[in-house]
Amino acid sequence: MTIVSLVRSALARKSPLFFLNNLLLGPIAIWLAIEIVLADGFHRSPQFPARVIALGCVAIFGYLSLVLGRRGNARLLPCFIATGLIAEVLVRALGPFGASGDLAWREPRPYVMFVGPENGRTLMPSQVGATDAERVTRFNTEGFRIETEIGDPKPINELRIFVVGGSTVLAGAPLANTIPGVIESRLHENGLPQARVYNFGVVSFVSGQELALLVHHLIDLEPDLVIAYDGGNDLISPWNYDPRPGYPFNFFAWEEAIKELSANLRPSSKTVGGLAVDSAVLQAIIGTTDWTIRGGLDDERQRLNRGGEAWKRAVLDAYARNIAAMCKVARGSDALFAAFFQPLLVYSNSLDRLQLQVAGDAEKVRGLREQRALVPSVVGARMQADGAGARCRFTDLSGLLEGEPAAFWDEIHIDNAHNQLIGRRIADELLEWGALRSGRGDPPLPR
């Protein structure tokens, strides 16, 4: 007797409860199998492991339904529901499933979208170097890595320097090994003891957020010099996350989360979609907005022709506009402005196999290198068109580490030793800048 005939014989003896159970389990198993096959794998889909576990559970219950008799099938559905309730309790006890590992570095804020956690404390990654105690990172009441209060009004003998940028400005252990900390030490060593350099780096910030921070908060604190050390997130984020030029990190996901929250507040939302928001298990399996975000991102990337020449130029133009705008805002408040375009792993002269995996696929690597070559001319043309003058400058530092790919522990971050190199180079550029030197004395810069 064949296997098929055995199955047919078994099915012929089954009660209606067997068919009812499998009418429920069958579609769930089919959907889970399709999602697993179509997923990007464990690392790219937070729902992947939960779906594999769920499919395994459904398969077990399906098998039990096949081998059990009438009484067993009568008890199977209640057992399936009980298993789901137990899973709900366990998943809730474990905390958010698939939550981003860097949520501890961000809190929502108006205008700039997010900053660091208010009065927060977190641990800098071990790759930066230093001891565990030195890697403890503290944030002030406004969510910035600044250990002392910013005097308001500004002390008359202070040369006030603000550094804006992303996590590469924030990173370093302890604070003296961040790029702003190194700049301050270097200036003190070279005849500017009145210089105070403040760290306004925020994880994932792009230049548009730096501009918003400058306009809405920093400019009122009377900086004498504003430094933007950036460009990396502006170029990388559209390749990795939201493809719209100039948009903040992963903004598409924030949009979808707000839409989902808004929909869930309506009475009509109390359906399966609403349950998927309320249930930890369904969030883990369905992802709630995961398919919306993925599908929307794919559509948006196709619509914008991500990787195309027009798109790559639009990304550069967005960055250049923000740099020129920061220059204009600083000049309007009698402050100097200096922008430094940062190095990335992908700009290295040679990359081994593992480094290429970190840098990204071939299209992204090629595209980022093409964009890098155009940055100085695009930014320079925009600043010249806006009449930047002698009080603003732009320096391309992207080649500073092109012979040292080992300096990077991911596609953008470097360790303490290379923070020292970057910080000293920026400080030396500033010390050679006549506009900064001419402001020595009391007040530190002419008003």
Side-chain angles (χ1 to χ4, degrees):
M1 184 177 291
T2 66
I3 295 177
V4 174
S5 60
L6 284 172
V7 172
R8 285 177 178 173
S9 177
L11 292 176
R13 298 194 299 270
K14 291 302 177 186
S15 68
L17 287 172
F18 165 81
F19 296 101
L20 178 63
N21 288 335
N22 283 275
L23 187 64
L24 171 66
L25 297 173
I28 296 175
I30 292 170
W31 178 81
L32 286 169
I34 292 172
E35 288 298 316
I36 289 169
V37 169
L38 297 179
D40 294 333
F42 179 84
H43 295 291
R44 290 185 178 271
S45 175
Q47 285 71 50
F48 187 84
R51 289 170 180 169
V52 171
I53 293 171
L55 181 60
C57 290
V58 172
I60 290 172
F61 275 93
Y63 172 75
L64 291 174
S65 179
L66 182 65
V67 299
L68 293 175
R70 180 186 299 270
R71 183 175 296 180
N73 269 279
R75 296 172 177 172
L76 198 64
L77 187 56
C79 288
F80 184 72
I81 295 173
T83 301
L85 292 175
I86 293 172
E88 182 75 23
V89 172
L90 291 175
V91 173
R92 287 180 181 271
L94 291 172
F97 182 88
S100 172
D102 60 5
L103 293 178
W105 297 89
R106 300 190 190 94
E107 280 187 1
R109 287 292 189 279
Y111 307 113
V112 297
M113 190 171 169
F114 52 77
V115 295
E118 178 183 350
N119 290 319
R121 178 179 296 191
T122 189
L123 191 65
M124 191 70 59
S126 60
Q127 292 93 330
V128 303
T131 65
D132 288 348
E134 290 173 325
R135 288 189 289 108
V136 173
T137 305
R138 297 174 178 83
F139 298 86
N140 67 5
T141 56
E142 295 181 322
F144 299 107
R145 196 179 179 190
I146 297 174
E147 294 182 344
T148 57
E149 293 297 323
I150 302 176
D152 189 14
K154 180 178 67 177
I156 197 168
N157 62 340
E158 180 180 309
L159 175 59
R160 178 166 287 182
I161 301 172
F162 292 163
V163 184
V164 298
S167 52
T168 49
V169 170
L170 176 75
L175 186 60
N177 279 327
T178 63
I179 289 174
V182 176
I183 294 172
E184 181 175 279
S185 297
R186 189 73 164 180
L187 294 179
H188 289 178
E189 294 167 0
N190 287 271
L192 290 175
Q194 73 273 38
R196 289 292 310 279
V197 183
Y198 298 90
N199 190 325
F200 284 98
V202 178
V203 171
S204 306
F205 250 29
V206 296
S207 58
Q209 291 168 288
E210 297 160 20
L211 172 61
L213 178 64
L214 181 62
V215 170
H216 289 285
H217 180 57
L218 302 188
I219 207 66
D220 288 339
L221 296 174
E222 300 183 275
D224 298 300
L225 167 65
V226 177
I227 299 172
Y229 177 75
D230 58 12
N233 289 336
D234 285 81
L235 271 60
I236 290 174
S237 287
W239 285 97
N240 292 348
Y241 307 107
D242 194 319
R244 290 171 289 185
Y247 273 60
F249 161 78
N250 221 11
F251 190 74
F252 201 96
W254 289 64
E255 282 182 309
E256 292 304 325
I258 294 297
K259 291 176 185 176
E260 189 72 25
L261 176 62
S262 176
N264 196 43
L265 294 176
R266 296 195 298 267
S268 61
S269 70
K270 301 307 178 184
T271 58
V272 174
L275 179 62
V277 174
D278 297 330
S279 167
V281 170
L282 290 180
Q283 284 181 19
I285 296 173
I286 297 176
T288 305
T289 60
D290 179 57
W291 49 37
T292 305
I293 294 171
R294 287 190 179 279
L297 275 179
D298 290 340
D299 292 344
E300 196 70 9
R301 286 165 179 163
Q302 186 173 6
R303 183 184 72 82
L304 293 172
N305 188 24
R306 186 192 68 168
E309 294 304 317
W311 177 84
K312 287 186 289 189
R313 181 57 188 250
V315 171
L316 294 179
D317 287 341
Y319 173 59
R321 284 196 304 271
N322 292 329
I323 292 296
M326 281 190 274
C327 164
K328 191 179 297 184
V329 171
R331 285 196 346 259
S333 296
D334 292 326
L336 299 173
F337 175 73
F340 294 88
F341 181 53
Q342 67 187 116
L344 297 175
L345 172 63
V346 73
Y347 301 154
S348 300
N349 293 329
S350 62
L351 297 171
D352 62 28
R353 182 178 58 85
L354 293 177
Q355 290 165 343
L356 278 172
Q357 289 178 355
V358 173
D361 58 53
E363 181 189 21
K364 176 185 168 185
V365 169
R366 182 175 61 255
L368 284 170
R369 287 175 173 175
E370 292 171 355
Q371 288 173 303
R372 172 210 178 181
L374 294 174
V375 164
S377 60
V378 173
V379 174
R382 173 65 67 171
M383 292 181 71
Q384 185 176 8
D386 286 357
R391 297 184 68 82
C392 296
R393 63 188 301 166
F394 176 82
T395 302
D396 179 9
L397 296 183
S398 64
L400 196 56
L401 300 177
E402 60 185 7
E404 300 183 65
F408 296 87
W409 48 270
D410 63 11
E411 60 182 337
I412 191 170
H413 297 102
I414 55 179
D415 56 22
N416 278 338
H418 291 88
N419 272 353
Q420 291 283 335
L421 178 65
I422 297 289
R424 289 195 298 268
R425 174 62 180 270
I426 291 174
D428 290 344
E429 293 268 348
L430 297 176
L431 289 165
E432 294 173 2
W433 190 9
L436 181 67
R437 283 290 192 182
S438 65
R440 294 180 61 185
D442 182 12
L445 285 174
R447 291 290 180 184

